[in-house]
Structures are given as C-alpha cells and as structure tokens.
Amino acid sequence: MDFKYDVIVIGAGHAGCEAAAAAANLGSKTVLITMDMNKIAQMSCNPAVGGIAKGQIVREIDALGGGMGIVTDKTAIQFRMLNRSKGPAMWSPRAQSDRAKFINEWRGILENTNNLDIWQDFVKQLIIKDGQVQGVISGMDVTFYAKTVVITTGTFLNGLMHIGKTQLRGGRIAEPASYGITEQLKEAGIATDRMKTGTPVRIDGRSVDFSMTEEQIGDFDFHKFSYMNHAPKTLCQLSCWTMYTNEQTHEVLRSGLVDSPLYNGQIQSIGPRYCPSIETKIVTFADKTQHQLFLEPEGETTQEYYLNGFSSSLPLDVQLNALKTIPAFRNVRIYRPGYAIEYDFFDPTQLKHNLESKIVKNLFFAGQVNGTTGYEEAAGQGLIAGINAHINCHGGDEFILNRDQAYIGVLIDDLVTKGVDEPYRMFTSRAEYRILLRQDDADMRLTEMSYKLGLAKQDRFDLLQTKKEEINRISEFAKNYSIKPQYINEGLEKLGTAPLKHGCKLIDLITRPQITLENIAELVPAFKEELDKTSDRKEEILEAVEILIKYEGYIQREKLIADKINRLEHIHIKGKFNYNEIHTLSTEARQKLCKIDPETIAQAGRIPGISPSDINILLVLLGR
C-alpha cells in the first residue's frame, strides 16, 4: 500500500517531534514514523531540559513556536535559573521533568496537530532516484512517497550498547536498532562515522540514605521556559541531591578498567569530552580524590532516580560495588546499570545551512545523526529542518538563523562549517554575541520572524507586542523623569549607594549596581505608579527593562561588532571560484574550501585552517 505526503520525518525523538510539528503547523501534509508511539520524545538520558547555553536554545525554540519549552513547563518537577551570580548573558534556565508525563504531553500535542499523521513502524529503506529522495519503505513494506524526508534517528542507526564485555544491539536499552539506512546513504556518497555516548545507572530511591546527601532545592519564582502566558510549576516540586565519590570508589572503578569497553579496545568510536564517563574521569583526572554526583528524580511519583555524573559502561558488578562505597548508597538497589552506546552519524559539513543534504536533494538531517549530543541541540535542529522541509515543498526563501540572531544559528553554522570530531555540545563560549543572545529576549529576537513565516501564531505575536509596549513605556519614563537630590539621597544611602550632588534622570540611577527597578520605585512614588500599570507578566517585563538599561552599553557595542561581521555574510562566493586553481591560497585552504564550499566570505573565515590572508586573497579576487 502507498501513501503520499509532503514531509516524512523518521524518528520521534526531540528533533523529530519539533520537525514534524513545525512542518505540519506550517501547512505541509506530514507523517512522523516511529518504532514506538509510547516512547515519543523519550528522555533517553537525564530527564532534564536546559542548562548552560542549552536553556537559551529551548527559549529560542519556544520563541519560534516550537514545543519543547511548553512541554517542559507543564511537566517540570524542579526549575532553576543557573548562573544568577553572573551577568544576564550567562543566565541559563534548567528544569527536571517527569519523564513519563513529558512523553504523554508531547504525544498529546502531536496527535492533535492538524496535517500530521503518526505511523508506528521502522524505516528500512529510502527511495532515492537521480540524486533526490522521493520517499521511504517501512518494515511492514508500506511505501511512503514525499517531496522531502527528514532523518532524526538519534542513536538508533546500527546502535550497539556496552555493559562491560556484554554487547546488546539496540538504539536504547530494550529497544531495537535500525539497519539499512546508513549503508544506503554511504552508497549515495554521504560520509558516515561512529560516535559513542553513555548513560548512568538508575537507582531505587527507597534504598538511598538521604541523610548522607546535600539537598538542592529549586527556584520558586516567575521564571519558566515558555513565553506563552501559562502557569508554570503545576506538578509537585522535588529536590535534587548531591554527594561525592571517594578514593575507595575510585579504587573499585580502577579495578574494573581491564574490562571497560572504553579501555580494552572494544569501543573505537568518538566519545564526548564534556560529559565523560566516571571511568574516564578517574583516568583523566587521576589526582582528584572525589567527583561530585547529582541524584535527580525521574518523576513526580516514581522511585527511580538518575545519578548524574556517574555515566559508565563498566561491568555491572563493578558499577554496583563502586556505588556501595559512597555512604548514601551503602545499601543501594538499582533498576539497571549504566551503559555506553555506539551509533552512526553523518558528517554535517555535507549539509547546507537549512540542514538539507548537499548530496541528496530534499533530504534533511537533524539531531544526533549530525554529531551533536543533547535534547536541546537536537530539538533546535529539528525545528529548523522541519521549517525548511516545508519550504522545500511549497516554495519560499530558506529559513536560516545567523550567529548574532540565535544560539541555534551558532549551532548549525558550527556543524556545517567546522564539522565535528566529538559529540557537539553547546556552550555559551561558542557564541561571539552572548549579550545579544540572552535567554530573556529570545522572543524579541525571533518571534516576529516566525510569525511572518506562519509558525508563531497570533496569540504569541500579541503577547510579544504587549511586552514591547510595556518595556518601551517604562524605559521612556525612566529616561525622561528627573530626580532631585533632596528627595532621594536619604533613600540612596540606605541602599548603599552614593548620594546625588545634583539632579539627574531616573535612568542614570538605575544603571547603578545597587539599584533595581523595584527598590528605586519605593523611593520614587511616580515610578512605582508607572510600574504598577504593567500587565500580569510584570516580573518578566521588569527584568527585561532592567537588563536593557543596565547593559545598554555592552549591548550596543556588540551590535556594532555584529553589524560589521554581517557585511561579510552578504558577500556570496558559492560557485564563484574553482579553489583548486587559486594557487596563492594555502594547500589546506584549497582543500577545505573545496570540501565545505562556503556560501559567504564570513562562513569561509570560520572554517578551521582558513587564515586571514586566505580571506584577503578571496576579497582581492572579488574586486573588494
């Protein structure tokens, strides 16, 4: 039997859910093919969303009209804003979610999305003719024809799990791997390799001595992921718990290294540098006598806990004996051990910035198949792939985010320009324009462009407009309202800041570090009255105003830098050079420019190994 669609999405992980929902919401007839409808948006590793830089990505997904932020808010059992002691460019939201409720919430969204069908099956073959994908054939021998296909298969392509010397074929524990697609894409000329990731032991909370741990309580303020006007924290809020390994723990772990797949040659693939296994930690940081661990709840009612920091592929007995050396776990019982998993990924430099393959037309890739790690990185790619798959079907300009517009733009540009030599994880340090890419203003950056595209709906756009109006109203009042010393100095001294010698505008006081909008409003009744006019999102809006006022100089300076760089983004070079014939370029530059075939001068400058002199040569040849 045959079916016809505009967009086929293979795999219902975090990338697949966003891709399918985006394409369908934009009007494409879409089918999402998944092996198990009960594992849609499964949190394969930690049941947490966000974190350093990752939280910014989730807010961007939400600002664009994606689902991850809303689902996380509705299923959160703890929320924290990380890095509050630093500047707002570093603030990063993070939430623990109820794993089961997260799945149910996403499934409910997808099953009630117009233009979207779900098919429970696996894909065994792509239909590729004349360098263009035309559909897929499922395990049940059902043929799906489509104008575009999005591959979001995560760790399932030729997945192989390791627990000591035991090897299990599968994409996740107790779930089968997928075969055939990698081999077919190799034949089509797409380069592939293997990566490795891992996950920790799952612990029965009834066996934990919590008196030997330190409690980590979440935040209970207004912050959440979604900009939509819904109530956050509807579930019971739970604590996380911290503890440390010790020298005895490390001794037990070292005794098992001979049987570790990471050190006995069993695993040859590329592993993550920034989320290493516990056995990698004790080898790499041999001088450290302890490593911090985080015990995190898997749900509102379950006794299952995730031991963050104890990812491992060591034999079961080694993992268990090592845990028992930690006082909180001396009587520990577990649901299952940690394991490592190897899987296929595809070189992302073979993609365009819209995540379409340069080799097979109308074929898109998103998520871990592009060499990334993390739910948030996957979801961000999935959203962009889904949008562009729709555009490929119905026409229009490619939807591409620049590096000064979004962390998602940084992520995709890094992938397609630099490639990966280890699982890619987003950090704030990867972004040149961190003060422009704050978590508080993702809606100000992205919602209007998504609304014009048709993904962000009217209610979201109206909320943005209201927020802009409120911010402008309060900012203008602060710029124009005059303060006289005799009315304010006593209050300023109580706040620990210097008294005025002469009058000034209110905005000049707000720039002082000791001053907040709320404490200065107590000294200036007219300003308090102005703040009280604010809508029911008062805290969010006041935070935005305060950041814009206090950091205006930094923001403007970074905008100027971004504008200068963006001039190079508009100098297009794709198809204008035969790089092999430009012998004034270095050999490395010729090789890498041929491989990447950059769209612009700016992208060429970001390719590792391309020097400023190489860029100058290209500019001279362009007549610049």
Short mmCIF file of all heavy atoms in Angstrom, two decimals, residues 71-126:
data_model
loop_
_atom_site.label_atom_id
_atom_site.label_comp_id
_atom_site.label_asym_id
_atom_site.label_seq_id
_atom_site.Cartn_x
_atom_site.Cartn_y
_atom_site.Cartn_z
N VAL A 71 6.16 22.02 26.76
CA VAL A 71 6.11 20.67 27.33
C VAL A 71 6.92 20.60 28.62
O VAL A 71 6.49 20.00 29.62
CB VAL A 71 6.62 19.63 26.31
CG1 VAL A 71 6.76 18.26 26.96
CG2 VAL A 71 5.67 19.54 25.12
N THR A 72 8.09 21.23 28.63
CA THR A 72 8.93 21.21 29.82
C THR A 72 8.25 21.92 30.98
O THR A 72 8.24 21.42 32.12
CB THR A 72 10.29 21.87 29.53
OG1 THR A 72 10.92 21.18 28.45
CG2 THR A 72 11.20 21.80 30.75
N ASP A 73 7.67 23.08 30.74
CA ASP A 73 6.98 23.81 31.81
C ASP A 73 5.84 22.98 32.40
O ASP A 73 5.63 22.97 33.62
CB ASP A 73 6.42 25.13 31.28
CG ASP A 73 7.49 26.18 31.06
OD1 ASP A 73 8.61 26.02 31.58
OD2 ASP A 73 7.22 27.16 30.35
N LYS A 74 5.10 22.29 31.54
CA LYS A 74 3.95 21.53 32.02
C LYS A 74 4.35 20.26 32.78
O LYS A 74 3.53 19.71 33.53
CB LYS A 74 3.05 21.16 30.84
CG LYS A 74 2.30 22.35 30.27
CD LYS A 74 1.34 21.93 29.16
CE LYS A 74 0.53 23.11 28.67
NZ LYS A 74 -0.41 22.73 27.59
N THR A 75 5.57 19.80 32.59
CA THR A 75 6.00 18.54 33.22
C THR A 75 7.14 18.74 34.21
O THR A 75 7.73 17.77 34.68
CB THR A 75 6.43 17.53 32.14
OG1 THR A 75 7.54 18.07 31.40
CG2 THR A 75 5.29 17.23 31.18
N ALA A 76 7.46 19.99 34.53
CA ALA A 76 8.62 20.27 35.39
C ALA A 76 8.35 19.88 36.84
O ALA A 76 7.29 20.18 37.39
CB ALA A 76 8.98 21.75 35.31
N ILE A 77 9.32 19.22 37.44
CA ILE A 77 9.26 18.92 38.88
C ILE A 77 10.36 19.67 39.64
O ILE A 77 10.44 19.57 40.85
CB ILE A 77 9.36 17.40 39.14
CG1 ILE A 77 10.58 16.79 38.44
CG2 ILE A 77 8.08 16.70 38.69
CD1 ILE A 77 10.77 15.31 38.70
N GLN A 78 11.18 20.40 38.91
CA GLN A 78 12.10 21.36 39.53
C GLN A 78 12.56 22.33 38.45
O GLN A 78 12.81 21.94 37.31
CB GLN A 78 13.33 20.70 40.14
CG GLN A 78 14.18 21.70 40.94
CD GLN A 78 15.53 21.17 41.37
OE1 GLN A 78 16.50 21.24 40.62
NE2 GLN A 78 15.61 20.62 42.58
N PHE A 79 12.65 23.61 38.79
CA PHE A 79 13.16 24.62 37.87
C PHE A 79 14.23 25.44 38.58
O PHE A 79 14.07 25.82 39.73
CB PHE A 79 12.03 25.56 37.40
CG PHE A 79 12.47 26.53 36.33
CD1 PHE A 79 12.26 26.26 34.99
CD2 PHE A 79 13.15 27.71 36.67
CE1 PHE A 79 12.69 27.14 34.01
CE2 PHE A 79 13.57 28.59 35.68
CZ PHE A 79 13.34 28.31 34.35
N ARG A 80 15.32 25.72 37.85
CA ARG A 80 16.38 26.58 38.40
C ARG A 80 16.91 27.48 37.30
O ARG A 80 17.02 27.06 36.15
CB ARG A 80 17.54 25.74 38.96
CG ARG A 80 17.19 24.87 40.16
CD ARG A 80 18.37 24.03 40.57
NE ARG A 80 19.45 24.84 41.08
CZ ARG A 80 20.75 24.50 41.03
NH1 ARG A 80 21.11 23.38 40.45
NH2 ARG A 80 21.66 25.29 41.54
N MET A 81 17.23 28.72 37.68
CA MET A 81 17.95 29.61 36.77
C MET A 81 19.42 29.56 37.17
O MET A 81 19.80 30.04 38.24
CB MET A 81 17.41 31.04 36.86
CG MET A 81 18.05 31.99 35.86
SD MET A 81 17.71 31.58 34.13
CE MET A 81 16.00 32.11 33.99
N LEU A 82 20.24 28.96 36.33
CA LEU A 82 21.66 28.78 36.63
C LEU A 82 22.42 30.08 36.35
O LEU A 82 22.02 30.89 35.53
CB LEU A 82 22.23 27.65 35.77
CG LEU A 82 21.51 26.30 35.84
CD1 LEU A 82 22.22 25.28 34.97
CD2 LEU A 82 21.39 25.80 37.27
N ASN A 83 23.53 30.24 37.04
CA ASN A 83 24.46 31.36 36.82
C ASN A 83 23.88 32.73 37.17
O ASN A 83 24.27 33.74 36.60
CB ASN A 83 24.94 31.39 35.35
CG ASN A 83 26.03 30.38 35.08
OD1 ASN A 83 26.64 29.86 36.00
ND2 ASN A 83 26.27 30.09 33.82
N ARG A 84 22.98 32.79 38.14
CA ARG A 84 22.40 34.07 38.51
C ARG A 84 23.44 35.01 39.13
O ARG A 84 23.24 36.23 39.17
CB ARG A 84 21.24 33.88 39.49
CG ARG A 84 19.96 33.36 38.87
CD ARG A 84 19.44 34.24 37.74
NE ARG A 84 19.03 35.56 38.20
CZ ARG A 84 17.80 35.87 38.57
NH1 ARG A 84 16.85 34.95 38.52
NH2 ARG A 84 17.51 37.08 38.96
N SER A 85 24.54 34.46 39.63
CA SER A 85 25.59 35.31 40.22
C SER A 85 26.41 36.03 39.14
O SER A 85 27.19 36.93 39.45
CB SER A 85 26.52 34.46 41.09
OG SER A 85 27.18 33.48 40.29
N LYS A 86 26.22 35.63 37.88
CA LYS A 86 26.94 36.25 36.76
C LYS A 86 26.01 37.19 36.01
O LYS A 86 24.86 37.37 36.37
CB LYS A 86 27.50 35.16 35.84
CG LYS A 86 28.47 34.21 36.54
CD LYS A 86 28.99 33.15 35.60
CE LYS A 86 29.94 32.20 36.34
NZ LYS A 86 30.45 31.14 35.45
N GLY A 87 26.51 37.80 34.94
CA GLY A 87 25.71 38.70 34.14
C GLY A 87 24.62 37.96 33.38
O GLY A 87 24.68 36.74 33.21
N PRO A 88 23.60 38.69 32.89
CA PRO A 88 22.44 38.05 32.25
C PRO A 88 22.78 37.28 30.98
O PRO A 88 22.00 36.43 30.57
CB PRO A 88 21.51 39.23 31.95
CG PRO A 88 22.38 40.44 31.98
CD PRO A 88 23.46 40.16 32.97
N ALA A 89 23.92 37.55 30.35
CA ALA A 89 24.32 36.77 29.18
C ALA A 89 24.58 35.32 29.54
O ALA A 89 24.51 34.43 28.68
CB ALA A 89 25.58 37.37 28.54
N MET A 90 24.85 35.07 30.83
CA MET A 90 25.17 33.71 31.27
C MET A 90 24.01 33.01 31.95
O MET A 90 24.09 31.83 32.25
CB MET A 90 26.37 33.76 32.24
CG MET A 90 27.60 34.44 31.67
SD MET A 90 28.25 33.59 30.22
CE MET A 90 28.94 32.14 30.99
N TRP A 91 22.91 33.74 32.24
CA TRP A 91 21.78 33.09 32.90
C TRP A 91 21.22 32.00 32.00
O TRP A 91 20.97 32.22 30.81
CB TRP A 91 20.68 34.10 33.20
CG TRP A 91 21.08 35.18 34.16
CD1 TRP A 91 22.25 35.31 34.83
CD2 TRP A 91 20.29 36.32 34.53
NE1 TRP A 91 22.25 36.45 35.59
CE2 TRP A 91 21.07 37.08 35.43
CE3 TRP A 91 19.02 36.76 34.20
CZ2 TRP A 91 20.60 38.26 36.00
CZ3 TRP A 91 18.55 37.93 34.75
CH2 TRP A 91 19.32 38.67 35.65
N SER A 92 21.00 30.83 32.58
CA SER A 92 20.54 29.68 31.78
C SER A 92 19.48 28.90 32.56
O SER A 92 19.77 28.37 33.63
CB SER A 92 21.71 28.74 31.46
OG SER A 92 22.72 29.41 30.72
N PRO A 93 18.26 28.80 32.02
CA PRO A 93 17.22 28.02 32.71
C PRO A 93 17.43 26.52 32.56
O PRO A 93 17.93 26.05 31.54
CB PRO A 93 15.93 28.47 32.00
CG PRO A 93 16.37 28.96 30.67
CD PRO A 93 17.77 29.47 30.81
N ARG A 94 17.04 25.79 33.60
CA ARG A 94 17.15 24.33 33.58
C ARG A 94 16.00 23.74 34.40
O ARG A 94 15.66 24.27 35.46
CB ARG A 94 18.47 23.86 34.17
CG ARG A 94 18.68 22.33 34.13
CD ARG A 94 19.98 21.95 34.84
NE ARG A 94 20.31 20.54 34.66
CZ ARG A 94 19.87 19.55 35.45
NH1 ARG A 94 19.08 19.83 36.48
NH2 ARG A 94 20.23 18.31 35.22
N ALA A 95 15.41 22.66 33.92
CA ALA A 95 14.30 22.03 34.64
C ALA A 95 14.48 20.51 34.65
O ALA A 95 14.95 19.93 33.68
CB ALA A 95 12.97 22.39 33.98
N GLN A 96 14.09 19.91 35.76
CA GLN A 96 13.87 18.46 35.81
C GLN A 96 12.44 18.23 35.37
O GLN A 96 11.52 18.94 35.80
CB GLN A 96 14.04 17.93 37.23
CG GLN A 96 15.46 17.93 37.76
CD GLN A 96 16.35 16.90 37.09
OE1 GLN A 96 17.45 17.22 36.66
NE2 GLN A 96 15.87 15.68 36.99
N SER A 97 12.22 17.23 34.54
CA SER A 97 10.87 16.90 34.09
C SER A 97 10.47 15.51 34.56
O SER A 97 11.33 14.66 34.83
CB SER A 97 10.77 16.97 32.57
OG SER A 97 10.61 18.29 32.12
N ASP A 98 9.18 15.31 34.66
CA ASP A 98 8.64 13.97 34.87
C ASP A 98 8.73 13.25 33.52
O ASP A 98 8.06 13.62 32.56
CB ASP A 98 7.20 14.06 35.36
CG ASP A 98 6.59 12.72 35.68
OD1 ASP A 98 6.56 11.84 34.79
OD2 ASP A 98 6.14 12.53 36.83
N ARG A 99 9.57 12.22 33.47
CA ARG A 99 9.86 11.56 32.19
C ARG A 99 8.59 11.04 31.50
O ARG A 99 8.37 11.27 30.31
CB ARG A 99 10.83 10.39 32.43
CG ARG A 99 11.26 9.69 31.15
CD ARG A 99 11.97 8.37 31.46
NE ARG A 99 13.18 8.57 32.24
CZ ARG A 99 14.37 8.87 31.72
NH1 ARG A 99 14.49 9.04 30.42
NH2 ARG A 99 15.42 9.00 32.50
N ALA A 100 7.74 10.36 32.24
CA ALA A 100 6.54 9.77 31.64
C ALA A 100 5.57 10.85 31.19
O ALA A 100 4.97 10.76 30.10
CB ALA A 100 5.87 8.82 32.64
N LYS A 101 5.40 11.88 32.00
CA LYS A 101 4.48 12.95 31.64
C LYS A 101 5.00 13.76 30.45
O LYS A 101 4.22 14.27 29.64
CB LYS A 101 4.23 13.86 32.84
CG LYS A 101 3.39 13.21 33.95
CD LYS A 101 3.12 14.18 35.09
CE LYS A 101 2.14 13.58 36.10
NZ LYS A 101 2.67 12.45 36.84
N PHE A 102 6.32 13.88 30.32
CA PHE A 102 6.93 14.57 29.18
C PHE A 102 6.54 13.85 27.89
O PHE A 102 6.14 14.49 26.90
CB PHE A 102 8.44 14.59 29.35
CG PHE A 102 9.17 15.51 28.41
CD1 PHE A 102 9.48 16.81 28.77
CD2 PHE A 102 9.57 15.07 27.15
CE1 PHE A 102 10.16 17.66 27.91
CE2 PHE A 102 10.25 15.91 26.27
CZ PHE A 102 10.55 17.21 26.67
N ILE A 103 6.63 12.53 27.89
CA ILE A 103 6.25 11.74 26.71
C ILE A 103 4.76 11.94 26.40
O ILE A 103 4.37 12.19 25.25
CB ILE A 103 6.55 10.24 26.95
CG1 ILE A 103 8.06 9.99 27.01
CG2 ILE A 103 5.89 9.37 25.88
CD1 ILE A 103 8.43 8.60 27.47
N ASN A 104 3.92 11.82 27.43
CA ASN A 104 2.47 11.93 27.21
C ASN A 104 2.08 13.31 26.71
O ASN A 104 1.18 13.45 25.86
CB ASN A 104 1.72 11.62 28.52
CG ASN A 104 1.81 10.15 28.89
OD1 ASN A 104 2.04 9.30 28.03
ND2 ASN A 104 1.64 9.85 30.17
N GLU A 105 2.74 14.34 27.22
CA GLU A 105 2.43 15.71 26.80
C GLU A 105 2.77 15.91 25.34
O GLU A 105 1.99 16.48 24.56
CB GLU A 105 3.20 16.70 27.68
CG GLU A 105 2.73 18.13 27.57
CD GLU A 105 1.34 18.35 28.14
OE1 GLU A 105 1.00 17.74 29.17
OE2 GLU A 105 0.58 19.14 27.53
N TRP A 106 3.97 15.45 24.93
CA TRP A 106 4.37 15.59 23.52
C TRP A 106 3.45 14.76 22.61
O TRP A 106 3.03 15.21 21.55
CB TRP A 106 5.81 15.15 23.33
CG TRP A 106 6.76 16.26 23.02
CD1 TRP A 106 7.87 16.61 23.73
CD2 TRP A 106 6.71 17.17 21.91
NE1 TRP A 106 8.51 17.69 23.14
CE2 TRP A 106 7.82 18.04 22.02
CE3 TRP A 106 5.84 17.34 20.85
CZ2 TRP A 106 8.07 19.06 21.11
CZ3 TRP A 106 6.08 18.35 19.92
CH2 TRP A 106 7.19 19.20 20.06
N ARG A 107 3.13 13.55 23.06
CA ARG A 107 2.25 12.71 22.23
C ARG A 107 0.89 13.38 22.04
O ARG A 107 0.33 13.38 20.93
CB ARG A 107 2.10 11.33 22.86
CG ARG A 107 1.15 10.44 22.06
CD ARG A 107 1.19 9.00 22.52
NE ARG A 107 0.12 8.23 21.87
CZ ARG A 107 -0.02 6.92 21.96
NH1 ARG A 107 0.86 6.21 22.65
NH2 ARG A 107 -1.01 6.30 21.35
N GLY A 108 0.38 13.99 23.11
CA GLY A 108 -0.89 14.68 23.01
C GLY A 108 -0.85 15.83 22.02
O GLY A 108 -1.80 16.05 21.26
N ILE A 109 0.25 16.56 22.02
CA ILE A 109 0.40 17.67 21.06
C ILE A 109 0.41 17.14 19.63
O ILE A 109 -0.31 17.64 18.76
CB ILE A 109 1.69 18.46 21.36
CG1 ILE A 109 1.53 19.27 22.65
CG2 ILE A 109 2.06 19.38 20.20
CD1 ILE A 109 2.82 19.93 23.12
N LEU A 110 1.23 16.11 19.39
CA LEU A 110 1.38 15.60 18.02
C LEU A 110 0.09 14.96 17.51
O LEU A 110 -0.29 15.14 16.35
CB LEU A 110 2.52 14.58 17.98
CG LEU A 110 3.92 15.14 18.30
CD1 LEU A 110 4.93 14.01 18.39
CD2 LEU A 110 4.36 16.17 17.26
N GLU A 111 -0.60 14.22 18.37
CA GLU A 111 -1.82 13.55 17.93
C GLU A 111 -2.95 14.54 17.63
O GLU A 111 -3.92 14.18 16.97
CB GLU A 111 -2.28 12.55 18.99
CG GLU A 111 -1.44 11.30 19.03
CD GLU A 111 -2.00 10.24 19.96
OE1 GLU A 111 -2.56 10.59 21.01
OE2 GLU A 111 -1.87 9.05 19.61
N ASN A 112 -2.81 15.75 18.13
CA ASN A 112 -3.85 16.76 17.90
C ASN A 112 -3.37 17.90 17.01
O ASN A 112 -3.96 18.99 17.00
CB ASN A 112 -4.33 17.29 19.25
CG ASN A 112 -5.12 16.24 20.03
OD1 ASN A 112 -6.26 15.95 19.70
ND2 ASN A 112 -4.48 15.65 21.03
N THR A 113 -2.29 17.66 16.27
CA THR A 113 -1.78 18.65 15.31
C THR A 113 -2.38 18.39 13.93
O THR A 113 -2.27 17.27 13.41
CB THR A 113 -0.24 18.58 15.24
OG1 THR A 113 0.30 18.93 16.52
CG2 THR A 113 0.30 19.55 14.19
N ASN A 114 -3.00 19.40 13.37
CA ASN A 114 -3.55 19.26 12.02
C ASN A 114 -2.45 18.96 11.01
O ASN A 114 -1.31 19.41 11.17
CB ASN A 114 -4.28 20.54 11.61
CG ASN A 114 -5.54 20.77 12.42
OD1 ASN A 114 -6.15 19.83 12.92
ND2 ASN A 114 -5.93 22.02 12.56
N ASN A 115 -2.78 18.23 9.98
CA ASN A 115 -1.85 17.86 8.88
C ASN A 115 -0.81 16.83 9.29
O ASN A 115 0.07 16.52 8.49
CB ASN A 115 -1.11 19.09 8.33
CG ASN A 115 -2.04 20.17 7.85
OD1 ASN A 115 -2.99 19.89 7.13
ND2 ASN A 115 -1.77 21.41 8.23
N LEU A 116 -0.88 16.29 10.52
CA LEU A 116 0.16 15.37 10.99
C LEU A 116 -0.42 13.99 11.28
O LEU A 116 -1.35 13.85 12.09
CB LEU A 116 0.84 15.93 12.24
CG LEU A 116 1.93 15.05 12.87
CD1 LEU A 116 3.05 14.75 11.88
CD2 LEU A 116 2.49 15.71 14.12
N ASP A 117 0.16 12.97 10.63
CA ASP A 117 -0.15 11.57 10.94
C ASP A 117 1.04 10.95 11.64
O ASP A 117 2.19 11.37 11.44
CB ASP A 117 -0.44 10.78 9.66
CG ASP A 117 -1.71 11.23 8.95
OD1 ASP A 117 -2.57 11.83 9.62
OD2 ASP A 117 -1.82 10.99 7.73
N ILE A 118 0.77 9.93 12.46
CA ILE A 118 1.84 9.17 13.11
C ILE A 118 1.71 7.72 12.66
O ILE A 118 0.61 7.16 12.62
CB ILE A 118 1.74 9.27 14.65
CG1 ILE A 118 1.81 10.73 15.11
CG2 ILE A 118 2.85 8.46 15.31
CD1 ILE A 118 1.56 10.93 16.59
N TRP A 119 2.84 7.12 12.28
CA TRP A 119 2.86 5.72 11.83
C TRP A 119 3.87 4.96 12.67
O TRP A 119 5.04 5.32 12.72
CB TRP A 119 3.23 5.65 10.35
CG TRP A 119 3.25 4.25 9.79
CD1 TRP A 119 4.34 3.46 9.60
CD2 TRP A 119 2.12 3.48 9.39
NE1 TRP A 119 3.97 2.25 9.09
CE2 TRP A 119 2.60 2.23 8.95
CE3 TRP A 119 0.74 3.72 9.36
CZ2 TRP A 119 1.75 1.23 8.48
CZ3 TRP A 119 -0.10 2.72 8.88
CH2 TRP A 119 0.41 1.50 8.45
N GLN A 120 3.41 3.90 13.34
CA GLN A 120 4.30 3.12 14.20
C GLN A 120 4.94 2.00 13.39
O GLN A 120 4.28 1.03 13.02
CB GLN A 120 3.53 2.55 15.39
CG GLN A 120 4.45 1.81 16.37
CD GLN A 120 3.77 1.54 17.70
OE1 GLN A 120 3.30 2.47 18.35
NE2 GLN A 120 3.73 0.29 18.11
N ASP A 121 6.21 2.16 13.13
CA ASP A 121 6.93 1.23 12.26
C ASP A 121 8.38 1.71 12.22
O ASP A 121 8.72 2.75 12.80
CB ASP A 121 6.31 1.28 10.85
CG ASP A 121 6.62 0.04 10.01
OD1 ASP A 121 7.50 -0.75 10.41
OD2 ASP A 121 5.99 -0.10 8.93
N PHE A 122 9.24 0.97 11.53
CA PHE A 122 10.60 1.46 11.29
C PHE A 122 10.81 1.60 9.79
O PHE A 122 10.06 1.04 8.99
CB PHE A 122 11.65 0.54 11.92
CG PHE A 122 11.78 -0.81 11.27
CD1 PHE A 122 12.72 -1.05 10.27
CD2 PHE A 122 10.97 -1.87 11.66
CE1 PHE A 122 12.84 -2.28 9.67
CE2 PHE A 122 11.08 -3.12 11.07
CZ PHE A 122 12.01 -3.33 10.07
N VAL A 123 11.82 2.37 9.43
CA VAL A 123 12.14 2.59 8.02
C VAL A 123 13.34 1.72 7.67
O VAL A 123 14.39 1.81 8.32
CB VAL A 123 12.43 4.08 7.73
CG1 VAL A 123 12.98 4.25 6.32
CG2 VAL A 123 11.17 4.90 7.92
N LYS A 124 13.20 0.90 6.64
CA LYS A 124 14.31 0.04 6.25
C LYS A 124 15.01 0.53 5.00
O LYS A 124 16.11 0.09 4.69
CB LYS A 124 13.84 -1.40 6.06
CG LYS A 124 12.85 -1.60 4.92
CD LYS A 124 12.45 -3.08 4.82
CE LYS A 124 11.48 -3.32 3.68
NZ LYS A 124 11.08 -4.75 3.61
N GLN A 125 14.35 1.45 4.27
CA GLN A 125 14.96 1.88 3.00
C GLN A 125 14.42 3.26 2.60
O GLN A 125 13.24 3.56 2.75
CB GLN A 125 14.62 0.87 1.90
CG GLN A 125 15.28 1.17 0.56
CD GLN A 125 14.90 0.14 -0.49
OE1 GLN A 125 14.47 -0.97 -0.17
NE2 GLN A 125 15.04 0.49 -1.75
N LEU A 126 15.34 4.09 2.10
CA LEU A 126 14.95 5.35 1.48
C LEU A 126 14.75 5.10 -0.01
O LEU A 126 15.43 4.26 -0.61
CB LEU A 126 16.04 6.40 1.68
CG LEU A 126 16.43 6.74 3.12
CD1 LEU A 126 17.67 7.64 3.12
CD2 LEU A 126 15.29 7.42 3.85
#
